């Protein structure tokens, strides 16, 4: 009777679920019963994380009161008034001392649209700081930059997921949905049965294994060489006359410069750089070009989280354009968005250079429009801030942020070079963290504020298809928790901020819709009533529209001339251009002798920094340890046995893990999950020195490490 229809708290698939707090099972377990609900994206399925998500609602280590660090360094529970007075006071002091940019905000792609929007507004209007960015910078920024540059708009999947149900050929680049979005795999079934699943991954991942039967193709390049692989696929398509010339003529610009840019990349040259056999590459290209309708190109973090991630994502779009896929019925290009609200979270102003509706903060017309909605003078809005890596590396320094509010991220585990991040957090004058649990980041805070969880709040989320969904409250939050909209309203009052900061999510959504009007991500026609009625609200959904836009780009691309751009991109290794000439066709070794390439990623059972899933008993039980996936031949050469303790060392630091020998990985590559804390943290090894020049994405997927067996005693907690 009292069941609530909502969506999973975790990833961007946003599987539909029903929560029942009153069933017999709920009474027995002490938290709501979770049931999967029929919905197009999940087809009634869910993964283990979704099934166990409600366990955290009643978790004993939930934060239930504001915690202020006392002079003795110990957290003490304080009242909300004390906490907010202090927070507002610290903001004021830091801005008085260091200027407006002395205060910064770090948001997250898991926040509802309302919270993400209000956070961006709070930064620009209440604090007037430019220093705001968020963890989506580590996630979707390369794919977003590429889509904006090539297609003029960034909606992760520009078509409904269910369009894939009819696909006969799907190229999946650096994406492992069998572990990262298990119910999504049902949409690949048709392609799989037709021998058309092509997976590009240096590991024989759970997804790559799906190509084993039915004649699919697994291409296993060395990490970070995907750009070359894509140039090679484009070369074959052009050389063999398989490009869709009519489409290129009608819908794109730049084809001639593009042709020149790939001309040297014969499959044999590509093989030298990537290790992918030339014939397999040709086979993949021919399969992709077989029939336009039913063919899709999709990317994931494996190709995007690199210093050349934007160019690699661009190369994937270029290939799709050559084949005539984007915006053509029954075919397309897309990227699989990651976090629960990774799509909506990148549209409404958490990003350093952005205003709501996917507008640019440097565009005078956008500033005027949004300032009008906010009731402030456009002159008062700050300019563009700095991206996450820069923001985090300058914490506590001259000219850097001195007082930081982290809301929806666990940077001590999820950000690159965690030792440097930790030093930065310690150098701050004041750190506030809002979270559900005392995360590794919150442990460094001066003030920790407890917020409600997904099933305790109302709001909206935008899933990986750009479809806006309702998140609904099924149970009350713990008495001491307060949601961020209320927190921002209280702070705005204390800071005497202009404009309105409503604590009511429905009011905030209505304002967001107005602020987004006329922007790329236009929500102005979406009302909560339509969302509650279960309508499929895909953006752009301008006021007056009755359907929104399930498929963008059908008639035109987002650029003013309506055409897509073929953007020529060049292959680089470690910052140096790769020479495709036959004489120099070996790629410069990325790393010195004795080093292995470290790539990082995910386990099915854990979510991101693990702050949530490491607390779920059955998930922790299934994956209690970080395991280094290493090829048996490599392990043998290093004297490493299966299950042995190992230490990884990079230029940045060291981390420990247990070895898992597996022939599913290239001998030159090792894989580590990034879900673990302390000395297991993979990001202790990841550098923040080099970032993608366009997106500021760090290199998460191709680092240089040495590995050695260690005495189990050395593997301390
Ligand atoms: N279980 C689980 N699911 C999740 C999440 C989670 O933490 N846990 N997080 C969510 C989020 S935020 C995101 S962004 C998505 C991410 O979803 P995915 O993109 O699927 O996740 P990853 O495991 O990071 O990377 C995918 C694959 O890329 C491969 N790879 C590594 N380096 C390279 C390379 O250089 N080239 C190529 N071609 N492949 C490479 C890895 O071996 C891995 O199998 O997952 C979402 N879903
Ligand atoms: N080495 C390596 N590093 C990576 C990646 C990789 O592949 N390899 N992937 C990157 C990617 S794709 C991503 S998305 C990032 C994620 O990086 P993180 O930001 O570290 O990810 P989460 O663990 O999701 O952190 C979210 C935090 O917010 C809390 N939280 C949840 N809901 C709410 C809410 O409503 N309000 C508030 N205030 N807090 C909430 C959670 O408890 C958690 O502590 O990691 C990146 N880091
Ligand atoms: S696939 Fe994603 S949305 Fe679906 S149940 Fe798993 S974590 Fe939740
Ligand atoms: Mo992500």
């Amino acid at each position: 009777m009292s069941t609530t229809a909502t969506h999973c708290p975790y990833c961007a698939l946003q599987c539909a679920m029903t929560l029942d707090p009153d069933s017999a099972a709920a009474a027995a377990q002490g938290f709501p019963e979770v049931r999967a609900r029929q919905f197009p994206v999940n087809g009634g399925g869910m993964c283990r994380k979704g099934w166990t998500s409600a366990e955290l609602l009643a978790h004993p280590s939930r934060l239930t009161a504001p915690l202020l660090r006392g002079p003795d360094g110990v957290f003490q529970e304080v009242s909300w008034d004390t906490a907010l007075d202090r927070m507002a006071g610290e903001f004021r002091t830091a801005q008085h001392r260091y200027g407006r940019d002395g205060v910064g905000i770090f948001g997250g792609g898991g926040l509802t649209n309302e919270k993400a929007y209000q956070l961006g507004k709070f930064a620009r209007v209440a604090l007037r700081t430019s220093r705001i960015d968020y963890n989506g910078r580590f996630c979707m920024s390369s794919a977003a930059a590429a889509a904006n540059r090539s297609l003029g708009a960034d909606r992760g999947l520009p078509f409904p997921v269910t369009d894939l149900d009819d696909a006969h050929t799907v190229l999946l680049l650096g994406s492992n949905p069998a572990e990262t979005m298990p119910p999504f795999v049902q949409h690949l079934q048709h392609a799989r049965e037709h021998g058309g699943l092509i997976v590009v991954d240096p590991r024989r991942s759970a997804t790559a294994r799906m190509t084993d039967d039915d004649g699919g193709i697994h291409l296993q390049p060395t990490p970070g060489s995907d750009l070359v692989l894509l140039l090679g696929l484009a070369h074959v398509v052009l050389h063999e006359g398989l490009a869709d010339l009519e489409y290129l003529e009608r819908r794109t610009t730049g084809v001639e410069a593009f042709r020149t840019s790939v001309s040297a990349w014969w499959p044999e040259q590509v093989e030298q750089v990537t290790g992918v056999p030339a014939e397999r590459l040709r086979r993949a290209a021919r399969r992709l070009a077989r029939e336009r309708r039913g063919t899709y190109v999709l990317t994931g973090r494996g190709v995007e989280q690199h210093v050349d991630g934007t160019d690699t994502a661009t190369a994937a779009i270029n290939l799709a354009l050559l084949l005539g896929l984007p915006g053509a019925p029954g075919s397309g290009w897309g990227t699989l968005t990651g976090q629960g609200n990774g799509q909506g979270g990148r549209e409404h102003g958490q990003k350093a250079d952005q205003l709501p509706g996917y507008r640019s903060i440097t565009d005078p017309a956008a500033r005027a429009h949004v300032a009008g909605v906010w009731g402030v003078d456009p002159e008062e809005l700050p300019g563009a801030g700095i991206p996450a890596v820069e923001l985090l590396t300058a914490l506590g320094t001259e000219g850097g942020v001195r007082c930081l509010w982290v809301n929806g991220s666990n940077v001590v585990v999820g950000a690159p070079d965690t030792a440097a991040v930790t030093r930065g957090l310690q150098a701050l004058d004041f750190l506030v963290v809002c979270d559900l649990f005392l995360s590794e980041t919150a442990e460094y805070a001066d003030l920790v504020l407890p917020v409600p969880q997904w099933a305790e709040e109302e709001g909206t989320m935008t899933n990986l298809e750009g479809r806006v969904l309702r998140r609904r409250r099924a149970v009350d939050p713990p008495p001491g928790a307060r949601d961020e909209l209320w927190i921002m309203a209280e702070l705005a009052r204390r800071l005497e901020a202009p404009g309105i900061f409503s604590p009511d999510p429905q009011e905030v959504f209505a304002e967001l819709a107005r602020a987004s009007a006329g922007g790329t991500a236009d929500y102005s026609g979406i009302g909560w009533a339509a969302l509650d009625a279960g309508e499929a609200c895909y953006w752009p959904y301008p006021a007056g529209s009755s359907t929104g836009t399930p498929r963008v780009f059908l008639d035109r691309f987002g650029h003013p001339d309506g055409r897509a751009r073929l953007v020529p991109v060049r292959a680089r290794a470690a910052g140096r251009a790769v020479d495709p000439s036959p004489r120099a066709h070996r790629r410069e070794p990325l790393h010195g002798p004795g080093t292995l390439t470290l790539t990082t990623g995910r386990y099915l059972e854990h979510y991101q920094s693990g702050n949530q899933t490491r607390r779920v008993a059955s998930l922790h039980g299934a994956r209690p340890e970080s395991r280094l996936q290493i090829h048996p031949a490599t392990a043998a050469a290093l004297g490493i046995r299966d299950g042995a303790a190992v230490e990884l060392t990079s230029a940045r630091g060291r981390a420990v893990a247990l070895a898992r020998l597996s022939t599913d990985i290239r001998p030159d590559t090792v894989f580590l999950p990034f879900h673990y804390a302390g000395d297991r943290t993979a990001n202790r090894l990841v550098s923040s020195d080099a970032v993608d020049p366009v997106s500021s994405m760090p290199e998460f997927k191709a680092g240089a490490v040495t590995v050695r067996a260690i005495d189990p005693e050395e593997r301390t907690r």
Side-chain angles (χ1 to χ4, degrees):
M1 263 184 324
S2 59
T3 60
T4 303
T6 190
H7 297 266
C8 174
Y10 301 117
C11 86
L13 198 58
Q14 285 294 290
C15 294
M17 60 165 64
T18 303
L19 289 174
D20 188 346
D22 297 323
S23 70
Q29 65 197 16
F31 49 84
E33 182 184 352
V34 176
R35 289 195 286 270
R37 195 153 57 83
Q38 274 301 332
F39 195 69
V41 293
N42 59 312
M46 278 196 312
C47 81
R48 249 179 126 164
K49 296 185 295 305
W51 285 114
T52 55
S53 55
E55 216 174 300
L56 293 181
L57 293 167
H59 197 279
S61 52
R62 269 305 282 281
L63 294 167
T64 53
L67 301 174
L68 183 65
R69 198 177 293 281
D72 54 357
V74 178
F75 280 131
Q76 275 160 1
E77 289 192 6
V78 293
S79 71
W80 273 97
D81 268 333
T82 305
L84 295 168
D85 286 347
R86 179 66 186 273
M87 190 169 167
E90 293 287 345
F91 283 170
R92 273 186 203 278
T93 307
Q95 291 197 316
H96 181 72
R97 277 199 199 139
Y98 310 111
R100 298 204 173 275
D101 285 351
V103 175
I105 294 184
F106 201 91
L111 302 175
T112 59
N113 287 318
E114 294 74 19
K115 293 183 193 176
Y117 164 81
Q118 199 79 317
L119 204 59
K121 175 178 173 182
F122 184 83
R124 276 67 174 239
V125 173
L127 295 171
R128 290 178 60 192
T129 177
S130 73
R131 293 321 196 232
I132 176 166
D133 213 54
Y134 78 124
N135 67 8
R137 182 70 71 173
F138 305 141
C139 181
M140 299 311 299
S141 61
S142 291
N148 282 322
R149 186 165 74 174
S150 297
L151 307 175
D154 155 40
R155 204 184 84 186
L157 289 184
F159 49 81
V161 158
T162 42
D163 281 8
L164 294 168
D165 294 345
D166 300 321
H168 54 71
T169 306
V170 178
L171 173 63
L172 265 181
L173 294 141
S175 168
N176 184 17
E179 293 211 64
T180 55
M181 289 186 186
F184 173 85
V185 167
Q186 63 190 279
H187 305 295
L188 302 173
Q189 194 53 29
H190 191 260
R192 196 179 165 185
E193 284 164 6
H194 287 74
L197 186 61
I198 308 171
V199 175
V200 183
D201 197 311
R203 298 187 304 146
R204 215 166 134 263
S205 64
T207 309
R209 282 200 291 275
M210 287 167 49
T211 63
D212 287 354
D213 324 313
D214 311 313
I217 305 174
H218 175 207
L219 306 178
Q220 208 170 352
T222 184
S225 68
D226 301 272
L227 180 43
V228 167
L229 184 127
L230 284 157
L231 294 171
L233 286 171
H235 181 279
V236 177
V237 170
L238 282 168
H239 182 74
E240 302 195 1
L242 304 172
D244 189 332
L245 300 178
E246 183 274 328
Y247 172 98
L248 291 171
E249 168 70 27
R250 195 165 43 86
R251 304 213 53 183
T252 72
T253 62
V255 68
E256 283 319 313
F258 177 74
R259 229 180 244 285
T260 317
S261 74
V262 301
S263 59
W265 286 108
W266 290 87
E268 285 69 20
Q269 261 78 274
V270 173
E271 178 172 343
Q272 295 296 323
V273 177
T274 64
V276 172
E279 268 323 299
R280 278 182 95 73
L281 193 81
R282 288 199 170 90
R283 206 180 120 211
R286 289 171 193 152
R287 171 72 201 204
L288 283 163
R290 203 165 81 170
E291 188 190 348
R292 171 164 96 181
R293 198 180 177 97
T295 301
Y296 290 84
V297 173
L298 301 175
T299 65
R301 301 310 81 76
V303 292
E304 299 162 5
Q305 290 175 322
H306 292 285
V307 288
D308 61 358
T310 303
D311 282 352
T312 307
T314 302
I317 299 175
N318 285 339
L319 174 67
L321 290 169
L322 276 191
L323 298 166
L325 310 180
S331 61
W333 164 88
T335 174
L336 297 175
T337 291
Q339 300 185 80
N341 197 27
Q343 181 69 51
R346 70 181 189 264
E347 298 165 357
H348 302 303
Q350 282 186 89
K351 215 171 172 183
D353 56 356
Q354 199 185 56
L355 288 174
Y358 224 129
R359 289 184 153 93
S360 163
I361 203 165
T362 53
D363 169 8
R367 293 170 66 87
H369 168 80
V370 173
V373 175
W374 289 347
V376 298
D377 186 334
E379 296 294 307
E380 286 171 17
L381 297 178
I386 53 175
V389 175
E390 278 175 57
L391 193 149
L392 293 176
T393 46
L395 290 179
T397 64
E398 184 86 43
V401 162
R402 304 295 190 114
C403 171
L404 181 71
W405 177 12
V406 176
N407 187 45
S409 178
N410 188 8
V411 289
V412 166
V413 179
D417 195 354
T418 46
V421 170
T422 306
R423 281 195 302 275
L425 294 178
Q426 287 172 314
L428 288 169
D429 289 7
F430 202 73
L431 172 64
V432 190
V433 176
C434 288
D435 210 306
L436 329 166
F437 297 103
L438 195 70
S439 68
E440 286 72 19
T441 306
E443 281 175 21
Y444 290 96
D446 299 288
L447 178 65
V448 181
L449 300 177
V451 294
Q453 289 191 47
W454 100 109
E456 300 159 351
E457 66 181 13
E458 299 282 342
T460 66
M461 306 281 281
T462 305
N463 77 355
L464 78 170
E465 317 161 289
R467 177 172 178 172
V468 186
L469 307 170
R470 277 281 276 115
R471 171 179 275 197
R472 293 190 186 84
R473 179 167 173 157
V475 290
D476 290 336
R482 297 281 184 282
D483 77 80
E484 293 95 325
L485 295 182
W486 180 85
I487 293 171
M488 284 184 266
E490 289 292 313
L491 289 170
R493 188 165 58 76
R494 284 171 170 80
L495 295 167
E496 294 166 20
I500 297 164
F501 284 85
S502 169
D504 176 62
Q506 195 164 352
E507 280 177 25
V508 175
F509 184 84
E511 186 186 302
L512 174 168
R514 273 186 287 128
S516 76
T520 304
D522 189 332
Y523 283 42
S524 60
I526 305 176
W528 270 28
L531 293 175
D532 278 332
E535 278 169 38
C537 296
Y538 294 89
W539 71 256
Y541 199 122
S545 153
S546 57
T547 57
T549 317
R551 294 172 190 83
V552 279
F553 309 141
L554 280 183
D555 305 320
R556 62 193 317 279
F557 292 100
H559 290 301
D561 63 2
R563 286 165 175 271
R565 310 264 179 276
L566 279 153
V567 180
V569 287
R570 282 157 52 86
R572 285 173 190 282
R576 224 163 332 134
V578 175
D579 183 352
S581 69
R583 269 178 299 106
H585 55 203
R586 271 218 75 81
R587 181 186 194 175
E588 289 292 323
L590 238 181
H591 316 304
T595 60
L596 294 164
T597 300
L598 169 71
T599 192
T600 59
R602 293 157 165 85
Y603 287 154
L604 194 163
E605 292 83 356
H606 283 300
Y607 189 68
Q608 314 273 64
S609 74
N611 189 36
Q612 290 158 280
T613 48
R614 279 187 274 121
R615 295 174 207 271
V616 178
S618 60
L619 299 177
H620 175 72
R623 287 288 192 181
E625 282 286 352
S626 174
R627 299 217 168 230
L628 179 77
Q629 191 179 7
I630 182 168
H631 195 278
T634 314
L638 294 169
I640 294 169
R641 286 197 324 275
D642 192 45
V646 292
E647 179 190 66
L648 292 91
T649 308
S650 78
R652 278 289 154 266
R654 61 179 279 278
V656 296
L658 298 179
R660 195 171 76 76
L661 272 49
S662 157
T663 51
D664 288 342
I665 190 159
R666 295 172 52 103
D668 60 2
T669 303
V670 289
F671 173 88
L672 209 56
F674 80 102
H675 310 298
Y676 297 87
D679 58 6
R680 270 67 162 177
T681 303
N683 278 321
R684 295 168 71 141
L685 302 162
V686 175
S687 166
S688 55
D689 288 351
V691 296
D692 181 293
V694 185
S695 65
S696 297
M697 173 72 82
E699 182 58 79
F700 283 124
K701 294 284 202 262
V705 291
T706 54
V707 181
R708 67 175 183 107
I710 51 168
D711 192 311
E713 302 291 287
E714 288 184 66
R715 209 175 120 256
T716 49
R717 285 254 149 217

